[in-house]
Amino acid sequence: MTSRLEERYRAVLRVLPPAYRAAWEEEMVATFLESMATEDPEDAEFLAEYGRPHWSEVASVLGLAIRLRLPALRLRLGGVGAPPRYRLWGDAVRQVALMGLLTHAVLATVTVVNLLWEAGKLPWLPPPPWPFPAPGPRAALRVFLIFATVPAYLALLSGRRHAAWLLALLGIGSVRASALAVGQPFDAERWSLLLLDLLLLATLGAFHRDAPPVRRGPWLAALPVGVVLTFGATSAEAFWHSDWPLQDPAGLFAAALIGAAFAHFAGALRRARRPAAPRSLALALLALGLIGMRAVTLSDYVGHAPPALHATLLSVGLVEVAGLLAVGVPLALLALRAVRRLPAPGLPAGAGSRSAGA
Amino acid sequence: MGLTEPAFFILTALVGEPRHGYGIVGEVERLSGQRVRLKVGTLYGVLDRLVADGLVELDREEVQQGRLRRYFRLTDAGSRSLAAEAERLAANARIASGRLAALRPVNLGGPA
């Protein structure tokens, strides 16, 4: 008869790979229960019913699970020489990482430009239409740290993955930390941005040893183009609708993704070929994430605005979700067809594509 | 190729007599002066690697209160690795101590 404590520990152990568990689970359970043993029979009974593994023990099992499962995950996000389906997933996740880091680099650069603007260093422009305090050395330091995402992006393009990862961690961590410092509330938007950033940092792991080099030209050009577009759009909107709340991150990202999807479809039409599979899959994954983000942040975004604008902002938000679905569904279908067209790993090349049909 | 601190202490705990999981945890805690407290996840992650590398092997299995208890022992290769690592750490420590002693020859060993 197993105690509740033992059941709970076995549940934690489920994160470990099955092969490892087959070899070590019984012994781990025995050692754990021995470590929780107490001489007092009343304490023992209480522990058996209500005891839970300490969080540090759970963390050690989670750490072990990550370490054990990482090689298999690296295999599934394949690079040069990997089976075709794994190579496709690997290329797609790497594109997600590039697009995410590009977004951070663009926003960081725009933040620097805005800071210079607020400090009066851009005299040919009228003063910024939003309320801003006189920027001081602390703001400059914060922006400097956030700007680390730009060299991170450039390092990733030139194949320096460890430098890229460290700089990305510094830059993205500074962005999240500065939001905390400014005292903004931990609402749905903060949580979803944090989650997306953690996922982004994880996708950088797809740039492992076997990852193919990146075609730098287009990705490099995307940075200044993105900065000009974003700065232009946000400052124009600030001037034009100075009584409107600025478009929130979910809205900006949705617009950017829909634009990228259109460029992707247009490029394929122009070349009269199927859209490139890794890009379709990457955009589909991002669309999925952004639909979730837009959905959970919409009520907060509308709620923070003056009541007169509620209906308008709600409609804008729903249009954004509709737009994401309108591009996301075709992208997902294209990606799914592309995956099915490739042979399943483990089968001889050709057997999979024959049975997959059209 | 150095050993991590948990691996070092686990190997040390196995010198002289085979031990089982919880015995290793207790011995490591004692040896490190309460500093290194192994979690079960950490212990078995390291043990799995040490067994795979041939530094540790299964000694025997016993049944205690209806549960399987496995005892592990150090292999010859494990003994050699531990000795080499201990020597490496000692040599590093000697270099540092030597430098520090050369800097303050007067104060070493003098009255408080």
Side-chain angles (χ1 to χ4, degrees):
Chain A
M1 209 201 61
T2 56
S3 63
R4 300 277 295 129
L5 178 64
E6 180 177 335
E7 283 171 13
R8 289 186 184 118
Y9 191 63
R10 281 187 196 271
V12 172
L13 292 183
R14 295 262 277 277
V15 303
L16 297 169
Y20 184 88
R21 258 187 294 141
W24 294 103
E25 177 169 359
E26 289 311 315
E27 199 178 335
M28 289 180 82
V29 170
T31 304
F32 172 70
L33 291 175
E34 226 181 320
S35 74
M36 301 285 277
T38 171
E39 304 210 320
D40 188 284
E42 274 185 24
D43 278 348
E45 227 183 279
F46 181 81
L47 263 179
E49 184 58 33
Y50 298 105
R52 290 179 182 281
H54 195 250
W55 69 263
S56 55
E57 177 58 50
V58 176
S60 81
V61 173
L62 282 177
L64 181 60
I66 291 173
R67 198 163 51 78
L68 290 172
R69 287 182 184 276
L70 218 53
L73 194 61
R74 286 240 170 93
L75 222 65
R76 288 188 177 269
L77 299 179
V80 175
R85 274 197 197 180
Y86 291 165
R87 174 67 191 262
L88 173 56
W89 274 99
D91 286 341
V93 173
R94 281 186 284 273
Q95 290 217 6
V96 169
L98 281 167
M99 287 190 239
L101 202 52
L102 171 65
T103 308
H104 269 286
V106 164
L107 291 176
T109 312
V110 171
T111 308
V112 169
V113 174
N114 281 338
L115 191 70
L116 291 172
W117 194 11
E118 287 172 10
K121 301 287 195 303
L122 305 179
W124 64 84
L125 286 171
W130 58 79
F132 61 92
R138 269 233 294 243
L141 176 64
R142 184 172 52 87
V143 170
F144 179 71
L145 289 175
I146 290 174
F147 195 72
T149 48
V150 174
Y153 180 66
L154 298 174
L156 193 61
L157 290 184
S158 59
R160 292 186 179 75
R161 38 200 183 94
H162 295 298
W165 206 90
L166 289 171
L167 287 166
L169 192 59
L170 175 64
I172 294 175
S174 305
V175 175
R176 293 296 133 236
S178 71
L180 218 70
V182 174
Q184 284 167 334
F186 245 91
D187 55 3
E189 181 175 291
R190 291 266 93 79
W191 281 115
S192 44
L193 284 173
L194 181 63
L195 179 63
L196 288 176
D197 276 339
L198 288 174
L199 288 172
L200 171 60
L201 288 171
T203 57
L204 286 174
F207 280 97
H208 47 68
R209 245 183 316 238
D210 302 322
V214 181
R215 274 178 50 237
R216 287 182 225 178
W219 287 104
L220 210 52
L223 184 55
V225 169
V227 169
V228 168
L229 286 176
T230 308
F231 181 69
T234 52
S235 45
E237 188 182 1
F239 276 116
W240 189 24
H241 279 140
S242 50
D243 55 337
W244 273 36
L246 287 174
Q247 192 60 265
D248 67 338
L252 281 173
F253 294 158
L257 185 96
I258 293 171
F262 269 105
H264 178 57
F265 293 140
L269 278 173
R270 201 163 42 86
R271 285 175 287 126
R273 288 158 148 256
R274 269 192 222 116
R279 180 66 53 90
S280 301
L281 183 52
L283 290 174
L285 291 170
L286 285 170
L288 183 65
L290 288 182
I291 288 173
M293 185 186 177
R294 176 73 286 177
V296 306
T297 60
L298 191 55
S299 59
D300 280 341
Y301 176 53
V302 172
H304 285 149
L309 292 173
H310 279 187
T312 327
L313 291 182
L314 185 61
S315 322
V316 169
L318 291 174
V319 164
E320 285 163 359
V321 174
L324 285 170
L325 282 169
V327 299
V329 170
L331 285 168
L333 289 173
L334 282 170
L336 196 61
R337 280 235 301 267
V339 171
R340 291 241 176 91
R341 228 180 280 120
L342 296 169
L347 295 177
S353 45
R354 263 200 301 268
S355 58
Chain B
M1 200 224 79
L3 295 169
T4 63
E5 192 175 48
F8 183 83
F9 274 109
I10 290 170
L11 288 175
T12 307
L14 289 174
V15 171
E17 64 175 285
R19 292 180 197 276
H20 69 289
Y22 192 56
I24 298 175
V25 171
E27 184 64 10
V28 166
E29 196 170 320
R30 207 181 60 81
L31 286 171
S32 66
Q34 309 288 318
R35 212 171 35 86
V36 179
R37 292 187 197 188
L38 292 172
K39 299 290 158 213
V40 178
T42 322
L43 169 68
Y44 284 99
V46 175
L47 265 182
D48 181 63
R49 247 203 344 255
L50 291 175
V51 169
D53 291 344
L55 303 183
V56 164
E57 65 189 358
L58 185 66
D59 182 65
R60 66 185 189 278
E61 287 179 344
E62 285 177 5
V63 176
Q64 284 263 354
Q65 297 165 337
R67 296 200 185 272
L68 192 68
R69 200 184 252 192
R70 281 197 220 147
Y71 286 76
F72 294 91
R73 65 161 175 258
L74 211 55
T75 61
D76 291 336
S79 274
R80 285 195 299 270
S81 291
L82 181 60
E85 180 69 6
E87 179 48 44
R88 193 181 72 85
L89 291 172
N92 287 352
R94 277 196 292 271
I95 295 171
S97 303
R99 282 229 152 172
L100 290 166
L103 206 53
R104 304 177 184 196
V106 190
N107 291 350
L108 250 192

